[in-house]
């Protein structure tokens, strides 16, 4: 861990500056608004170690695959969400010296990410090499009210003498990515101009030919009053800058308001892009910094009304959950089915910013409970719109008859992950997409989606599983060979229990959905069968045979589900026998050593038990949990949350709490020593799962919400709101009672501690908390 940030319920606070931590802080203090995002790079020049990062949703580059040994079926490229033009830059010089925190002596420094209001601010006093002392105060936000805009208020005050201050707000499209396969430049510059107090540039991505236009407007204030300083313009390829020079008296404050706009050809016609950018910027400037900020704050207020979890008695836990909810909501707003949630969001370059199975397995549960059903529906439509590409992906690997293999990594539906053990073998991702459809429908009751879109996806995925299995004459069972399960510290294994279980569940759910479709919308089902050339008799007969005769590895001596064939051939060592200096394994051990070990990167068998908990009694869950948790090193950010949910189910509350802190503070405290690369955005949703499904015991059974609340001993209370099938509930859990308030205009049935409650509209029920 690397704990250097203050604990605060609503803010992330860094006091004192250490350049060695700058990249980590740039990740942690990142801001976004769903359409774009920025690492917390300094506005002024910084010559220390930094990772410049501005990212635009949906804009990517197909970076040609680089491998030592090409294999048939490899994707031709790895999609990269690009470092886009820098729109926040404001260079400052004082009496001819550049303000640069890498060369200044810093008397005080405070950086704050206000999660309640969605603002990033800095306040510092710096001593330049000449001895001049200046005080600087900065606030920045990316507007959620108008997500193509943002603003910066940058103030500077000389503290001990009069000074000549030069400020240079600029736009810079000549940016590069650190993460490139071939050290290519990804942007072509199309336009640049600077006039008056405004500047504009347009850049285009190579190959994909997305256009991005940026505009800025600058206003100067001296001690709060507008000052007319003569602008000096500089405009060249990919760059626009305006220079202002002001003679500033000691203790006088110069403030520059930089309002900016960023638009892309994702949402505007290319031929109108510059015009539209100027109009959007003009509107933002007319509104003004304060009104823009207030409108932005109002959107955040509404988000927190629906998604906040309030924890009393534990500020570390409180800060952790709010940090995760904050970043998820500023990464994805749910209003565009072309967009999804990348593992790093807008906080770094690693993983390319593309879509993984994390969305379906971890993010959907959060958005189902905290946002309109349309948000999750758009995530599912994203996959539906990529179905043809998923079928093409399967065809490249030799599958036919409309079988679909959804990509492990994608931007546009094509597979773009170039590690063979992932691309070819981690096929459980198909099951995660099928389960997400089921999860959405059971939570929302939206059977219409299932008939109109979901069933077509389920049939294509089921066709894949039907072809991916083979009959074992030795076992007299169907088997699935050569896979990688969620535990990526195993590759090319046979009969991963989780994968086999998910495959047959998908087949069964598809069969059930087909029967429902026949009953609800027979004509619609007939059209779908014709469209997909679905053979109702032959295909379903094979699916039923696979379901009946699938092989599942099982360890009789321990009475547990075996992770895969041969797992017990490994030397069985538990994590507590490892020297702490050997962790994390992925940074200390060779890959060969990891693959030969029994250690588990993330929940694998336990991921399946989490999904299909209703199938297993408490003793079965407990035996599997004890065996596999003791061998899990949690070196995937996706791992702890599943363990929290099951630990709480088993009333292992001390362990559940310890793992909750790990998942909620993974990035704040940099557990894995990698936060400098960006945050773990998709796994942040697992923190929400840990509380709602773990400590609150939320489930959905037979169309009703179920709660079995427990509480970590350190907490005095926790509360949250939840949306379910159009109903709005508030759940409050304290030491002795559970209170559920129905904030809807109709009654709601819930189950708490196995008892049924029918809660009338706008009323509450109070229940003694079960502590057994």
């Amino acid at each position: 861990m690397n704990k250097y940030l203050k604990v605060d319920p609503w803010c992330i606070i860094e006091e004192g500056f250490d350049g060695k931590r700058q990249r980590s802080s740039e990740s942690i203090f990142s801001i976004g608004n769903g359409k774009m995002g920025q690492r917390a790079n300094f506005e002024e020049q910084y010559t220390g170690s930094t990772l410049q990062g501005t990212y635009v949703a949906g804009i990517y580059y197909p970076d040609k695959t680089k491998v030592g040994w090409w294999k048939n079926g490899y994707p031709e490229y790895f999609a990269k969400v690009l470092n886009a033009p820098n729109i926040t830059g404001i260079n400052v010089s004082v009496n001819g010296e550049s303000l640069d925190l890498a060369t200044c002596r810093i008397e005080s420094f405070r950086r704050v990410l206000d999660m309640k209001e969605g603002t990033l601010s800095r306040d510092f006093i710096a001593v330049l090499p000449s001895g001049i002392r200046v005080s600087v105060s900065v606030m920045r936000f990316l507007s959620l009210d108008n997500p193509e805009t943002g603003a910066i208020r940058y103030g500077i005050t000389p503290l001990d003498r009069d000074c000549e201050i030069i400020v240079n707000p600029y736009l810079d499209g000549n940016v590069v990515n650190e993460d490139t396969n071939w050290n290519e430049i990804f942007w072509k510059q199309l336009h640049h101009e600077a006039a008056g107090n405004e500047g504009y540039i347009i850049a285009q991505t190579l190959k994909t030919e997305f256009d991005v236009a940026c505009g800025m407007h600058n206003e100067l204030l001296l001690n709060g009053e507008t000052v007319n300083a003569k602008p000096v313009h500089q405009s060249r390829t990919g760059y626009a800058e305006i220079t202002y020079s002001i003679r500033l008296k000691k203790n006088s404050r110069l403030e520059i308001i930089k309002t900016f706009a960023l638009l892309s050809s994702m949402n505007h016609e290319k031929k109108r892009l510059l015009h539209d950018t100027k109009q959007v910027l003009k509107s933002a400037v007319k509104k003004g910094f304060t009104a823009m900020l207030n409108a932005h704050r109002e959107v955040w207020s509404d988000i927190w009304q629906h998604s906040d979890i309030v924890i009393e008695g534990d500020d570390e836990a409180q800060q952790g959950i709010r940090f995760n909810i904050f970043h998820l909501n500023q990464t994805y707003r749910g209003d565009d089915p072309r967009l999804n949630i990348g593992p790093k969001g807008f906080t770094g370059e690693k993983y390319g910013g593309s879509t993984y199975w994390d969305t379906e397995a971890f993010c959907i549960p959060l958005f189902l409970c905290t946002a309109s059903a349309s948000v999750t529906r758009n995530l599912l439509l994203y996959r539906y719109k990529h179905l043809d590409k998923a079928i093409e992906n399967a065809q490249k690997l030799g599958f036919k008859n409309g079988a679909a293999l959804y990509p492990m990594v994608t931007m546009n539906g094509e597979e773009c992950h170039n590690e063979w053990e992932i691309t070819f073998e981690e096929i459980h991702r198909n099951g995660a997409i099928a389960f997400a459809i089921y999860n959405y429908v059971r939570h929302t009751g939206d059977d219409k989606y299932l008939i109109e879109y979901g069933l077509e996806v389920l049939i294509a995925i089921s066709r894949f599983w039907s072809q991916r299995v083979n009959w074992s004459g030795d076992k007299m069972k169907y088997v699935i060979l050569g896979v990688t399960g969620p535990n990526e510290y195993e590759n090319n294994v046979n009969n991963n229990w989780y994968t086999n279980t998910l495959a047959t569940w998908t087949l069964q759910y598809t069969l059930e959905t087909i029967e429902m479709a026949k009953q609800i919308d027979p004509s619609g089902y007939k059209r779908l069968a014709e469209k997909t050339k679905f053979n109702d008799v032959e295909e379903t007969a094979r699916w039923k045979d696979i379901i009946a005769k699938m092989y599942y590895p099982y360890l009789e001596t321990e009475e547990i589900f075996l992770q895969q064939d041969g797992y017990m051939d490994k030397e069985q060592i538990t994590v507590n026998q490892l020297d702490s200096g050997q962790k994390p394994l992925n940074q200390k051990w060779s890959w060969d050593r990891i693959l030969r070990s029994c250690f588990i990167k993330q929940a694998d068998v336990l991921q399946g038990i989490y999904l299909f908990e209703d199938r297993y009694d408490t003793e079965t869950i407990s035996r599997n949990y004890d065996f596999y948790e003791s061998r899990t090193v949690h070196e995937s950010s996706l791992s702890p949350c599943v363990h929290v949910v099951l630990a709480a189910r088993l009333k292992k509350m001390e362990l559940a709490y310890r793992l909750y802190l790990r998942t909620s503070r993974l990035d704040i405290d940099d557990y894995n020593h990698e936060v400098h690369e960006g945050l773990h955005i998709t796994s942040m949703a697992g923190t929400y799962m840990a509380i709602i499904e773990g400590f609150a015991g939320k489930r959905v059974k037979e169309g009703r919400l179920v709660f079995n609340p427990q509480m970590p001993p350190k907490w005095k209370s926790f509360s949250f709101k939840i949306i379910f099938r159009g109903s709005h509930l508030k759940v409050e859990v304290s030491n002795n009672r559970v209170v559920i308030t129905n904030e809807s205009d109709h009654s709601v049935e819930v189950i708490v501690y196995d008892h049924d409650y029918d809660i009338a509209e706008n009323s509450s029920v109070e229940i003694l908390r079960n502590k057994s």
Side-chain angles (χ1 to χ4, degrees):
M1 286 194 294
N2 184 17
K3 299 184 73 165
Y4 66 94
L5 300 169
K6 300 293 182 182
V7 175
D8 183 276
W10 275 111
C11 294
I12 306 297
I13 302 170
E14 179 182 12
E15 292 187 342
F17 180 71
D18 183 345
K20 294 177 182 178
R21 296 170 175 161
Q22 173 63 3
R23 285 196 174 210
S24 296
S25 291
E26 288 174 346
S27 299
I28 292 168
F29 289 81
S30 295
I31 57 174
N33 62 15
K35 288 291 191 292
M36 60 176 160
Q38 302 166 339
R39 289 171 59 81
N41 308 117
F42 294 158
E43 289 80 7
E44 73 278 357
Q45 175 181 314
Y46 180 68
T47 56
S49 179
T50 180
L51 175 60
Q52 181 67 44
T54 296
Y55 310 99
V56 185
I59 305 298
Y60 70 98
Y61 176 85
D63 201 10
K64 185 180 177 182
T65 297
K66 187 174 186 178
V67 292
W69 179 20
W70 187 271
K71 300 174 180 65
N72 288 335
Y74 259 176
E76 296 182 0
Y77 66 88
F78 188 83
K80 302 285 176 65
V81 170
L82 303 182
N83 180 19
N86 178 4
I87 53 180
T88 60
I90 305 174
N91 286 333
V92 178
S93 66
V94 183
N95 284 359
E97 286 184 287
S98 292
L99 177 60
D100 179 351
L101 293 192
T103 61
C104 292
R105 179 169 61 86
I106 302 171
E107 288 189 357
S108 65
F109 179 93
R110 180 179 172 90
R111 175 163 29 191
V112 178
L113 180 66
D114 187 325
M115 299 180 289
K116 189 174 186 178
E117 299 192 342
T119 60
L120 170 64
S121 61
R122 277 187 303 145
D123 294 276
F124 63 87
I125 296 175
V127 183
L128 280 75
S130 65
I132 297 173
R133 296 171 67 243
V134 294
S135 173
V136 175
S137 178
V138 191
M139 175 182 281
R140 180 163 104 208
F141 66 94
L142 295 179
S143 175
L144 282 180
D145 178 61
N146 181 352
E148 294 180 323
T149 65
I152 302 167
R153 184 175 63 205
Y154 193 105
I156 182 167
T157 302
L159 297 178
D160 48 18
R161 70 186 79 174
D162 298 349
C163 294
E164 184 77 18
I165 306 292
I166 298 176
V167 291
N168 303 92
Y170 65 88
L171 304 171
D172 187 5
N174 299 301
V175 294
V176 296
N177 272 49
E178 283 194 358
D179 178 25
T180 68
N181 288 341
W182 304 94
N183 295 319
E184 293 179 292
I185 300 297
F186 295 152
W187 293 95
K188 177 173 69 174
Q189 306 304 322
L190 300 182
H191 178 82
H192 56 91
E193 66 175 82
N197 292 311
E198 296 183 355
Y200 298 90
I201 61 172
I202 302 178
Q204 182 181 83
T205 60
L206 299 178
K207 296 184 182 179
T208 46
E209 296 187 343
F210 293 107
D211 286 7
V212 170
C214 308
M216 67 171 175
H217 176 278
N218 308 293
E219 178 186 2
L220 270 63
L221 296 96
L222 181 59
N223 297 324
E225 299 294 329
T226 300
V227 58
N228 293 315
K230 182 180 179 181
V232 178
H233 307 105
Q234 183 182 156
S235 175
R236 61 180 185 269
T237 302
Y239 190 85
E241 177 186 276
I242 304 175
T243 299
Y244 303 93
S245 180
I246 300 287
R247 186 71 185 173
L248 203 58
K249 292 184 178 297
K250 182 178 73 171
N251 294 324
S252 293
R253 176 181 172 87
L254 175 66
E255 208 167 66
I256 179 169
I257 305 296
K258 180 179 182 180
T259 307
F260 51 84
L262 189 153
L263 281 65
S264 81
S265 57
M266 286 270 294
N267 304 302
H268 298 268
E269 293 183 48
K270 289 184 179 183
K271 63 183 180 182
R272 292 185 55 84
L273 193 56
L274 180 59
H275 172 271
D276 290 353
T277 303
K278 290 183 176 182
Q279 291 302 114
V280 169
L281 182 60
K282 180 180 179 181
S283 177
V285 171
K286 182 178 180 181
K287 192 168 190 174
F289 183 91
T290 300
M292 284 179 66
L293 178 58
N294 288 338
H296 171 72
R297 287 168 168 163
E298 286 178 12
V299 178
W300 269 114
S301 177
D302 184 64
I303 291 170
W304 287 118
Q305 280 291 322
H306 295 96
S307 63
D308 193 20
I309 296 176
V310 180
I311 298 170
E312 185 184 6
D314 190 344
D315 283 348
E316 276 199 319
Q318 179 69 86
Q319 184 184 44
I321 185 60
R322 283 183 173 147
F323 179 74
N324 290 283
I325 293 171
F326 171 79
H327 274 289
L328 280 158
N329 277 283
Q330 69 171 4
T331 300
Y332 182 74
R333 302 298 306 129
D335 55 357
D336 189 340
R338 298 172 300 172
L339 303 179
N340 209 287
I341 309 162
K344 294 296 182 189
F346 298 127
T347 70
E349 298 177 7
K350 191 176 180 181
Y351 302 125
S354 305
T355 302
Y356 286 61
W357 68 286
D358 308 17
T359 293
E360 284 76 22
F362 298 93
C363 296
I364 278 178
L366 176 143
F367 288 113
L368 280 174
C369 293
T370 63
S372 163
S374 64
V375 172
T376 302
R377 202 173 199 266
N378 276 340
L379 287 172
L380 297 181
L381 284 172
Y382 176 91
R383 295 295 193 179
Y384 176 79
K385 291 175 181 293
H386 287 175
L387 179 56
D388 288 344
K389 289 289 187 181
I391 292 171
E392 287 181 21
N393 292 335
Q395 289 172 343
K396 291 176 183 177
L397 301 184
F399 296 90
K400 54 189 178 181
N401 191 34
L405 176 59
Y406 276 92
M408 186 68 182
V409 180
T410 193
M411 284 297 299
N412 65 356
E414 291 180 305
E415 176 64 77
C416 62
H417 196 290
N418 48 31
E419 295 175 5
W420 66 268
E421 68 274 16
I422 305 299
T423 304
F424 301 152
E425 295 195 341
E426 201 160 341
I427 55 176
H428 67 82
R429 61 197 189 244
N430 251 14
I433 291 166
F435 192 87
I437 295 171
Y438 165 75
N439 207 7
Y440 169 76
V441 173
R442 73 170 170 176
H443 192 96
T444 64
D446 186 3
D447 291 335
K448 185 177 180 182
Y449 175 85
L450 194 56
I451 305 302
E452 291 183 356
Y453 302 105
L455 180 54
E456 187 174 350
V457 173
L458 291 171
I459 287 173
I461 292 175
S462 292
R463 283 171 161 170
F464 170 82
W465 289 125
S466 179
Q467 295 174 47
R468 187 60 170 78
V469 306
N470 66 271
W471 180 256
S472 167
D474 177 57
K475 291 181 169 60
M476 297 302 289
K477 294 279 187 180
Y478 287 102
V479 296
I480 303 180
L481 309 178
V483 303
T484 297
N487 171 26
E488 293 171 341
Y489 286 176
E490 301 272 8
N491 300 149
N492 200 37
V493 303
N494 294 334
N495 296 306
N496 171 257
W497 180 86
Y498 172 73
T499 303
N500 289 20
T501 300
L502 202 51
T504 53
W505 175 87
T506 302
L507 294 172
Q508 183 62 47
Y509 181 52
T510 306
L511 290 171
E512 293 170 2
T513 304
I514 287 169
E515 291 306 310
M516 184 185 75
K518 289 178 179 178
Q519 296 295 320
I520 294 176
D521 186 3
S523 61
Y525 171 73
K526 183 179 179 181
R527 287 193 300 272
L528 177 60
E530 291 172 352
K531 176 183 178 182
T532 59
K533 299 179 181 178
F534 182 60
N535 189 319
D536 199 328
V537 177
E538 291 183 9
E539 293 192 68
T540 59
R542 176 168 169 79
W543 297 354
K544 291 174 182 176
D545 195 49
I546 293 169
I547 293 167
K549 299 174 183 175
M550 177 61 80
Y551 166 72
Y552 305 99
Y554 188 78
L555 184 59
E556 295 285 352
T557 55
E558 301 288 337
E559 296 183 276
I560 60 169
F561 308 120
L562 194 59
Q563 184 172 270
Q564 75 264 346
D565 287 349
Y567 179 77
M568 294 306 293
D569 292 336
K570 296 169 179 283
E571 182 181 9
Q572 294 298 313
I573 305 172
T574 55
V575 174
N576 61 11
Q577 295 175 281
L578 272 176
D579 186 288
S580 61
Q582 297 183 61
K583 295 186 290 184
L585 302 184
N586 58 21
Q587 297 177 25
K588 302 297 178 67
W589 283 16
S590 70
W591 191 243
D592 167 74
R593 187 179 181 188
I594 289 174
L595 290 176
R596 288 186 287 107
S597 80
C598 71
F599 294 117
I600 299 167
K601 180 183 179 185
Q602 69 190 77
D604 195 305
V605 168
L606 297 184
Q607 183 79 25
I609 290 176
Y610 160 72
L611 293 182
F612 308 118
E613 177 188 23
D614 287 348
R615 294 182 174 184
Y616 313 113
D617 60 30
T618 300
E619 290 72 23
T620 299
I621 296 172
S622 182
R623 287 194 301 271
N624 280 275
Y625 187 89
D626 290 345
F627 183 87
Y628 287 110
E629 201 284 326
S630 66
R631 290 158 173 79
T632 301
V633 290
H634 298 295
E635 289 177 9
S636 165
S637 61
L638 301 172
S639 184
C641 62
V642 171
H643 287 252
V644 173
V645 174
L646 294 178
R649 162 78 166 75
L650 297 169
K651 304 191 185 306
K652 299 175 182 285
M653 290 303 290
E654 289 187 9
L655 176 59
Y657 176 70
R658 187 170 74 247
L659 289 171
Y660 164 77
L661 281 184
R662 181 181 181 120
T663 187
S664 69
R665 300 187 63 83
L666 178 75
D667 290 322
I668 297 175
D669 295 337
D670 197 9
Y671 271 78
N672 292 341
H673 308 288
E674 58 186 13
V675 77
H676 59 280
E677 299 175 330
L679 305 180
H680 298 83
I681 297 297
T682 47
S683 71
M684 288 179 172
T687 307
Y688 183 88
M689 287 167 47
I691 294 180
I692 304 304
E693 299 183 20
F695 300 147
K698 175 258 178 184
R699 304 289 189 273
V700 178
K701 295 182 180 179
E702 298 179 353
R704 291 187 292 175
L705 276 176
V706 177
F707 295 102
N708 287 286
Q710 301 177 75
M711 194 165 64
K714 189 175 181 179
W715 296 6
K716 295 179 180 178
S717 69
F718 70 100
S719 62
F720 58 91
K721 292 186 177 182
I722 189 167
I723 301 170
F724 179 75
R725 300 195 176 194
S727 300
H728 294 253
L729 302 177
K730 182 176 182 180
V731 180
E732 301 168 274
V733 182
S734 61
N735 189 47
N736 295 314
R737 63 178 188 160
V738 177
V739 178
I740 301 180
T741 302
N742 177 12
E743 298 180 344
S744 314
D745 59 4
H746 53 269
S747 64
V748 178
E749 292 183 7
V750 299
I751 302 172
V752 184
Y753 300 131
D754 297 323
H755 293 284
D756 296 350
Y757 297 90
D758 190 347
I759 311 175
E761 60 187 79
N762 298 310
S763 63
S764 301
V765 62
E766 184 173 323
I767 305 156
L768 289 177
R769 188 159 79 81
N770 185 345
K771 299 182 182 181
S772 62

